[in-house]
Amino acid sequence: MADFPLACNFQGDYAMKLLIVDTNDTMDDVVEKAKQALVGVVVKAPKSGDVLRVSRHGEREYLPRHLKVADARFVRMEAVDITVET
């Protein structure tokens, strides 16, 4: 377990934010940590029933929800997008 910095582009936000996650966190954990840090501060809460997913910045394919940060082979400060699943 280790802290790991990501640049987070949360849907509806105006800029990327630093998000510190743990290497053992899953992509669902990354979403939850981003929501805790940003919802109600710089973005509105997602609509009820919306499912937020993580993708590498600029890619359309979502990362598997149970994929761990360590297994995603991110580099420090890599940018990720968190958007409503379509």
Side-chain angles (χ1 to χ4, degrees):
M1 295 186 345
D3 286 343
F4 196 87
L6 293 172
C8 173
N9 181 28
F10 196 95
Q11 183 167 315
D13 199 355
Y14 65 92
M16 290 197 178
K17 302 290 191 288
L18 172 65
L19 182 65
I20 303 296
V21 297
D22 189 278
T23 53
N24 284 330
D25 285 344
T26 65
M27 294 303 116
D28 280 351
D29 295 330
V30 171
V31 167
E32 287 306 310
K33 286 184 176 184
K35 283 172 53 177
Q36 290 174 7
L38 302 173
V39 169
V41 178
V42 294
V43 295
K44 292 181 183 178
K47 293 178 186 174
S48 179
D50 281 351
V51 176
L52 295 170
R53 298 288 304 273
V54 177
S55 61
R56 292 179 188 276
H57 181 62
E59 294 185 7
R60 292 179 182 244
E61 187 175 326
Y62 297 114
L63 296 170
R65 294 175 67 179
H66 298 291
L67 178 69
K68 291 187 177 187
V69 169
D71 296 333
R73 299 184 183 208
F74 291 129
V75 295
R76 292 185 174 280
M77 293 301 297
E78 184 165 346
V80 296
D81 296 328
I82 298 177
T83 56
V84 173
E85 184 175 34
T86 55

